[in-house]
Amino acid sequence: MTEINHHLTESLVMGYAAGTLPEAVNLIVAAHVSMCDTCRAAVEAHEALGGALLDDTDAVAMDDGALQRALDAVRGADPEPRPIRVAEPDPIVPAPLADYIGGGLDDVRWRPLGMGVKQAILPTAPGATARLLFIPAGTAVPDHGHNGLELTLVLQGAFSDEGGRYARGDVEVADGDTEHMPVADISADCICLAVTDAPLKFHGVLPRLLQPLFRI
Amino acid sequence: MGMFTAPQQTDPCDSLPPAMTAGGGRSSLRRQKRTAVNRQSDSDREREQATWAALLIRIRDHRDEAAFAALFSHFAPRLKGFLIRSGADAAQAEECVQEVMTTLWQKAALFDPERASAATWLFTIARNKRIDLLRRARRPEPEDLPWGPEPDPDQAEMLGLQQETEALGSAVAALPPKQRDLIHKAYFGEMTHSEIAAETGLPLGTIKSRIRLALDRLRHAMDGKNER
């Protein structure tokens, strides 16, 4: 397993465990956790906290006959068998992301953004947008800031910006204070999953004009 | 460790541990224990968590209806309270709790006592139902670990995890009311996520490293098997 240097923030881990995040953010968290044991353990720790809170919750009495109803329901319901071992993970696309693509990398329906950059927007509920980005080796994404949160998870290749170098499994968390110009490594094409909860602010006229067209 | 031993008899009503037969008075007992902080009550709470896990395993292995009834009596009213605080009305919450408890029965084989307490596992089921119910959105799950859960849980690992969870529960119960309310709100979806964990100083680091150790140990065990 590759070494991961850039992890989820505590608040993202907590939000995922609590179930309070938009779908697109859940997706990038699930994809990162699929590759990162550290964050998986952090999510499980926060789920344990959720369990402790459930135990600590003030009880509200169930309706009369609720237990009998439940017993009647389970008597007719067969328990599901213990799951068999899952298949080998895909080397690029983690399972939760494959669900949204409807397969592997070959099944992505890319749309060109110019300069060889391509994107594919994934279908999620409103609140945040998830997209796959393909950045050819050595290409720079225009300098941009953010109105909201931008999360970028590297699936293949690597990119660098003011925050450091991000390789497979690393996630960059950029917020309203971040201005950056990511540059893909020259060695390989970079494929990322990017999630935003607000439109990006591009500097320079052309990207700003393109923004509504490409929904960046 | 007797409570973890699979019962030999087939009548589910005979297979309950003595502590579980008097289900009605338990919640008032719990409230009292929270205020009387001493070693005795902490070890009671540990036993309690381990007992819930043992009951779940009995459902998994023996479809034990008495075990189901005991879990229902304890958790269903709490689940209902949780769902109502999360924005469901009473009828929705009632229905949702029924679904959660049916899921517990059907998916009991997925319960891994080395990785979660019964309360934690139920919380994750209820959280997912709540998202379906209130937000009609999906919550993608991480890819399963390639080696999956161990078929036979290690008793010491299991007890250790239940104790860690119990320590977390004690820490939550001991929080000043304001902080306790804050963290409840974060998990019930009444406010957006924030850095509450850091502010409240809950021992997440402890349980985190505990789970991490368990994962590492399992992974090494699997690596050993793969090399042969």
Side-chain angles (χ1 to χ4, degrees):
Chain A
M1 182 169 256
T2 49
E3 193 190 340
I4 293 173
N5 295 309
H6 300 275
H7 296 276
L8 299 166
T9 61
E10 193 80 12
S11 62
L12 280 170
V13 168
M14 181 185 250
Y16 182 72
T20 56
L21 301 175
E23 183 177 347
V25 182
N26 280 336
L27 173 60
I28 197 167
V29 170
H32 174 78
V33 166
S34 299
M35 297 187 273
C36 177
D37 286 348
T38 306
C39 289
R40 187 187 292 267
V43 167
E44 290 186 4
H46 278 84
E47 287 176 341
L49 178 55
L53 293 170
L54 174 64
D55 236 359
D56 191 55
T57 302
D58 290 332
V60 174
M62 292 291 285
D63 293 352
D64 290 343
L67 172 60
Q68 193 54 51
R69 232 186 106 198
L71 279 170
D72 290 345
V74 300
R75 277 177 190 141
D78 280 334
E80 295 175 15
R82 193 192 298 275
I84 48 169
R85 275 186 57 159
V86 296
E88 279 297 301
D90 183 284
I92 305 292
V93 181
L97 183 56
D99 279 352
Y100 281 78
I101 294 172
L105 265 191
D106 294 342
D107 300 298
V108 177
R109 286 193 289 272
W110 296 106
R111 295 173 65 99
L113 288 180
M115 300 192 318
V117 179
K118 296 183 287 187
Q119 77 163 358
I121 293 179
L122 303 172
T124 59
T129 306
R131 61 168 59 78
L132 285 167
L133 283 173
F134 179 97
I135 307 162
T139 307
V141 172
D143 189 12
H144 60 284
H146 304 95
N147 290 316
L149 189 69
E150 183 190 39
L151 306 169
T152 311
L153 171 69
V154 179
L155 301 170
Q156 174 190 295
F159 72 83
S160 301
D161 68 9
E162 290 79 351
R165 182 173 183 275
Y166 297 82
R168 176 170 168 80
D170 285 329
V171 63
E172 178 176 50
V173 181
D175 58 21
D177 301 328
T178 312
E179 298 238 348
H180 66 160
M181 185 165 73
V183 182
D185 270 16
I186 50 168
S187 53
D189 298 336
C190 182
I191 297 174
C192 300
L193 173 64
V195 169
T196 48
D197 68 352
L200 307 185
K201 295 180 289 192
F202 276 97
H203 299 158
V205 176
L206 190 61
R208 204 179 301 145
L209 285 174
L210 290 176
Q211 211 167 315
L213 270 165
F214 294 117
R215 296 175 57 198
I216 276 201
Chain B
M1 299 301 278
M3 68 174 130
F4 297 121
T5 314
Q8 296 304 308
Q9 63 269 57
T10 46
D11 182 355
C13 294
D14 290 335
S15 59
L16 272 183
M20 298 313 303
T21 49
R26 296 183 61 81
S27 53
S28 58
L29 206 65
R30 284 182 58 81
R31 293 289 167 196
Q32 283 167 20
K33 276 186 282 178
R34 252 174 223 144
T35 50
V37 179
N38 57 51
R39 295 187 71 86
Q40 181 58 46
S41 71
D42 277 355
S43 83
D44 280 354
R45 291 164 63 97
E46 281 169 20
R47 266 202 295 281
E48 193 172 66
Q49 285 299 322
T51 305
W52 300 133
L55 290 175
L56 249 171
I57 289 168
R58 277 241 273 283
I59 292 173
R60 184 188 76 185
D61 295 345
H62 304 281
R63 306 179 66 179
D64 184 335
E65 290 186 10
F68 179 81
L71 283 162
F72 190 97
S73 300
H74 179 75
F75 284 109
R78 286 174 173 77
L79 287 163
K80 190 172 176 183
F82 164 72
L83 290 161
I84 287 173
R85 280 198 72 180
S86 298
D89 63 35
Q92 282 176 323
E94 181 86 18
E95 201 53 43
C96 198
V97 172
Q98 289 283 346
E99 284 180 29
V100 171
M101 295 307 294
T102 310
T103 303
L104 170 146
W105 178 273
Q106 287 176 301
K107 294 194 184 289
L110 289 172
F111 175 63
D112 181 353
E114 286 185 20
R115 285 175 65 187
S117 71
T120 299
W121 194 58
L122 273 168
F123 165 76
T124 61
I125 296 173
R127 171 199 64 200
N128 294 352
K129 296 272 181 213
R130 185 193 69 192
I131 292 172
D132 291 345
L133 178 75
L134 301 177
R135 310 220 334 254
R136 306 195 182 285
R138 291 171 65 192
R139 181 186 178 280
E141 295 287 336
E143 191 158 343
D144 281 340
L145 294 172
W147 30 266
E150 272 196 336
D152 294 309
D154 181 293
Q155 300 290 325
E157 280 293 341
M158 172 176 156
L159 195 60
L161 191 274
Q162 305 306 319
Q163 284 170 348
E164 284 287 349
T165 310
E166 197 45 54
L168 196 60
S170 303
V172 168
L175 282 176
K178 266 189 180 172
Q179 287 186 331
R180 192 170 147 199
D181 191 48
L182 200 66
I183 201 152
H184 269 281
K185 281 178 174 164
Y187 273 74
F188 295 166
E190 289 174 16
M191 55 188 254
T192 53
H193 56 282
S194 62
E195 290 77 13
I196 289 163
E199 285 171 22
T200 50
L202 287 167
L204 287 174
T206 315
I207 194 164
K208 213 186 288 184
S209 59
R210 186 77 185 68
I211 292 171
R212 185 71 209 270
L213 278 177
L215 290 176
D216 285 350
R217 200 183 59 80
L218 279 173
R219 170 150 290 163
H220 285 143
M222 281 311 296
D223 285 350
K225 279 176 203 161
N226 292 340
E227 279 161 16
R228 270 182 289 153

